Amino acid sequence: MTSLFSKQKGNGKQKKETETNVTSVSNESSSYEAPQAKEKKPENDEEEKVFPIVQYDRYGFLIKDPSKVTFSENPKDLRKENERLVKWQKMLADFPKFRVEHAEKLASRTRKGVPDAVRSLVWKNLAGTHKDNNNQPYSLPDLLKRPIPEACETQIKKDLARTFPSHEFFSQIDPITNKRSQNIEAQNKLFEILHAYAVLDPDVGYCQGMNFIAAIPLFYQPMNDAFHTFLFLMFQMEYREYFLPGFPKLHSSVNILLKLISVHLPKLSVHLERESIVLESFVVQWFLTMFTYNLPFAAIVRLWDWLFVEGHDVVFVVALAVLKLVQDEMLKRKGSDLVAFSMQFSGKLDLASDFVISNALEFKGVIQYVEKLRIKHPDKYCSILDNTRRPVTFSISFDAEGPFYLRNKLQKKLKS
């Protein structure tokens, strides 16, 4: 009688793998315990690993919770954006002429937002930095050869890691470990821009807040163009006055915003005064960083589009819009609770970008009103500069009519 064991043995190797589920076999005369089959391990252990998916939004910021993000966009919005892109491409074909002959239309289209695909080129044209920067009386390489004060250099280096750390430009993510590390090459570009500026403008040197302003152009432009865009903002837009010793423009800006709140948000104005809330405690960062630390990035670039055409005073319009959006919550709170809320919401505003800008556009005539305040009450609403400061000993060539074409027309009308 042939045993089961002899049948298995006789079938040889081809039966070996097919009967791996048998743990024991017995008959009247013998028993057999089959060996457990060993699982085959993949030759490369990495085949078993599941790599994390790293996702960024359309602006290059890390998406922390992909489950909450939908990548399908409304077809109507995509159509609208493409239609807008075609219009901007036609405008850019002869931009200097369009800017002068159709200034109001340019302002209107800019308020709606510049398409991301042409934003770099539009900013260059609006800032006048599309011209040959080699004709400037300085060059970035030459400026970088000159030293800056040690304290200034130390502070810049400290702030590099704090500048948009979740943006793919300034950080790198290991696809295996999913750990984020600093992009030293990108941070070095930002350092060089801030270093060069400190050499060029020793009265300002470097102050915290400038790092965020200098970083935005780097997201869209090559380093040399980004440097000249930064110079445009600091000099042509007079943004350097925020960082001069004594912060002259900061004080006048707070005074202007207080006046605007009393006019447009009177209930909030009375409430803040009754609760003895100092406005500087939560709006200083708005001005010093041009909202780059506080608003969603989509709102930041919309603000910058608008700013390049109508000047820095659009910051006041956006500030009013933000305060209007949180006004009801502020009116409910008192004392320390109001202070804590003010610091919290201003630290990182979690507001929909389109909602912020659409609310800002509802405030009509704010820029004109600010110009009137400066003309009628210069001591209170204009920057008071110290005449003992060293004059700027260099000349930077910008397109004089560029972003201030509408503002210059307005000033002439108000003064006449």
Side-chain angles (χ1 to χ4, degrees), residues 148-158 206:
I148 57 175
E150 184 178 350
C152 186
E153 182 174 340
T154 300
Q155 188 60 56
I156 293 175
K157 289 180 177 179
K158 283 183 180 179
Y206 172 75

Side-chain angles (χ1 to χ4, degrees), residues 169-170 186 189-191 193 213-223 226-227:
F169 184 78
F170 288 117
K189 290 180 180 180
L190 179 59
F191 173 81
I193 286 177
I213 300 171
I216 299 290
L218 270 175
F219 293 155
Y220 287 95
Q221 299 172 332
M223 184 174 168
F227 175 60

Side-chain angles (χ1 to χ4, degrees), residues 245-373:
F247 304 100
K249 193 162 189 170
L250 180 59
H251 297 303
S252 62
S253 293
V254 171
N255 288 337
I256 290 171
L257 185 55
L258 277 168
K259 181 65 176 177
L260 290 173
I261 294 172
S262 69
V263 173
H264 294 276
L265 303 170
K267 290 183 180 179
L268 181 61
S269 177
V270 171
H271 187 61
L272 291 174
E273 186 174 354
R274 184 171 55 237
E275 297 299 320
S276 302
I277 301 299
V278 180
L279 199 64
E280 288 95 324
S281 63
F282 62 93
V283 302
V284 164
Q285 193 179 65
W286 298 0
F287 292 119
L288 292 184
T289 67
M290 211 182 293
F291 277 105
T292 55
Y293 186 76
N294 305 94
L295 289 176
F297 195 78
I300 293 170
V301 290
R302 287 280 302 276
L303 166 61
W304 278 48
D305 295 341
W306 193 1
L307 177 145
F308 273 104
V309 171
E310 298 190 53
H312 168 262
D313 290 344
V314 300
V315 172
F316 297 116
V317 189
V318 174
L320 282 175
V322 169
L323 289 170
K324 181 184 177 183
L325 290 172
V326 297
Q327 177 179 224
D328 290 343
E329 280 297 319
M330 295 184 76
L331 291 175
K332 294 176 186 176
R333 302 167 188 268
K334 295 182 179 181
S336 59
D337 186 32
L338 176 57
V339 173
F341 176 77
S342 301
M343 296 296 291
Q344 180 184 10
F345 89 81
S346 64
K348 198 66 180 175
L349 297 170
D350 188 16
L351 302 170
S353 56
D354 289 340
F355 201 39
V356 173
I357 301 301
S358 61
N359 270 269
L361 293 173
E362 291 179 4
F363 289 94
K364 307 295 184 183
V366 172
I367 295 175
Q368 293 87 334
Y369 184 73
V370 170
E371 287 295 338
K372 289 179 181 179
L373 288 177

